[in-house]
Amino acid sequence: MSKNVYLASPFFDKEQIERVERVEKALAANQTLSSVFSPREHQHEEFEMFGPEWRVATYNGDIEAINQADVMVAVIDYVGQEVDPGTAWEFGYAVAKNIPVIVVKEKAGAVNLMMGMPLTAYITDISDLGTYDFDATPKIEFSGEIF
């Protein structure tokens, strides 16, 4: 049985884009996945970016994709102690819908309580996404510092 993944991740600067591209590549190699929805690849270029039509299409498309996902992968590398608000919202929505969330965090440091507690698995090496068993979604708890 192959799973559908929603990839929640910021992609606003060069570092974030490079990271999410590596995540997309690792997920594409995973044999337990049938599809990956990455908002970065669904920007509704038919509309003016950030215009009213773009906002509606982006929001509704992302919500629909989360609702169809079996699993979410959320990249939560912080800037200080601030996580991307869109990623945080998507994370919370998935938790409320009982969708397992696999957290990816390469940068060392604490994790916010509201993300550290409900996550299904905590991964620090993006390459591990290529072999993670999304069918079984094994638990990998976060055991570091919580803020």
Side-chain angles (χ1 to χ4, degrees):
M1 184 171 163
S2 292
K3 302 290 185 181
N4 299 317
V5 165
Y6 182 93
L7 173 55
S9 177
F11 48 94
F12 299 107
D13 63 31
K14 185 177 179 180
E15 177 189 7
Q16 292 172 345
I17 292 168
E18 185 272 332
R19 182 178 300 109
V20 75
E21 286 175 341
R22 287 187 292 120
V23 171
E24 291 165 349
K25 184 177 179 181
L27 292 172
N30 190 298
Q31 297 298 307
T32 63
L33 298 179
S34 59
S35 71
V36 176
F37 181 92
S38 177
R40 186 183 75 82
E41 296 176 336
H42 295 87
Q43 285 298 299
H44 298 282
E45 293 176 3
E46 69 272 24
F47 303 119
E48 178 185 346
M49 186 167 286
F50 302 113
E53 297 91 354
W54 180 89
R55 293 178 210 171
V56 169
T58 299
Y59 178 81
N60 289 336
D62 289 358
I63 294 295
E64 181 180 338
I66 295 170
N67 287 337
Q68 293 176 358
D70 300 302
V71 180
M72 175 177 284
V73 171
V75 178
I76 64 164
D77 279 336
Y78 296 92
V79 176
Q81 288 191 340
E82 303 298 321
V83 71
D84 170 61
T87 301
W89 188 92
E90 293 163 329
F91 182 108
Y93 185 81
V95 169
K97 301 281 290 180
N98 294 313
I99 297 169
V101 180
I102 312 308
V103 165
V104 176
K105 186 172 184 295
E106 287 186 306
K107 295 179 180 180
V111 169
N112 184 280
L113 171 72
M114 300 309 280
M115 294 181 146
M117 293 305 294
L119 62 79
T120 299
Y122 182 79
I123 293 176
T124 59
D125 186 338
I126 289 173
S127 66
D128 290 343
L129 292 170
T131 57
Y132 181 81
D133 185 350
F134 284 91
D135 285 330
T137 56
K139 184 86 171 159
I140 304 171
E141 291 187 23
F142 175 73
S143 61
E145 181 183 351
I146 292 281
F147 67 91

